[in-house]
Amino acid sequence: MKHATGKTLKTLESLLREIRKSQHLKEKNHGIFYLKSKAYLHFHEDEEGTFADVKKGNKWVRLKVPDNKKEWKKFARKLLIYSGRH
């Protein structure tokens, strides 16, 4: 599984906008978010779809990005809940 390409991240733009609303996360590179000084969230892609890797405690959790864009706002909230700063 490879990191999401610029093309894939472009398709996720409305999801990324929702995530960028968080005051606690900083997007240091396109689609790569940090909580304080630690990596917190990034995206991967493969033939099965697009996935978000989000840090929960000391472990990375991989979540499938919903195919239905109408679910992205709810999905963004789920990603932010892991930070404890939603």
Side-chain angles (χ1 to χ4, degrees):
M1 184 169 288
K2 65 180 183 173
H3 282 273
T5 62
K7 181 179 177 182
T8 296
L9 292 173
K10 187 174 181 176
T11 67
L12 298 177
E13 193 55 41
S14 62
L15 173 60
L16 296 175
R17 274 195 301 276
E18 287 297 321
I19 295 167
R20 289 178 189 128
K21 290 178 182 178
S22 170
Q23 300 174 37
H24 305 288
L25 298 182
K26 300 295 178 209
E27 187 175 22
K28 292 193 175 184
N29 290 307
H30 192 212
I32 301 174
F33 294 87
Y34 282 72
L35 179 63
K36 297 186 180 182
S37 62
K38 297 188 180 199
Y40 174 73
L41 170 67
H42 59 271
F43 295 88
H44 289 274
E45 64 182 79
D46 69 11
E47 61 278 349
E48 294 181 27
T50 304
F51 296 82
D53 281 358
V54 62
K55 195 80 174 244
K56 185 175 182 182
N58 292 326
K59 296 183 179 183
W60 287 98
V61 176
R62 180 159 289 164
L63 302 170
K64 180 140 179 23
V65 175
D67 293 327
N68 183 344
K69 292 182 180 185
K70 292 179 181 180
E71 297 176 28
W72 283 4
K73 194 169 192 171
K74 182 178 176 182
F75 184 70
R77 282 194 304 269
K78 182 178 182 177
L79 294 173
L80 297 174
I81 286 171
Y82 286 129
S83 74
R85 300 170 187 266
H86 46 91

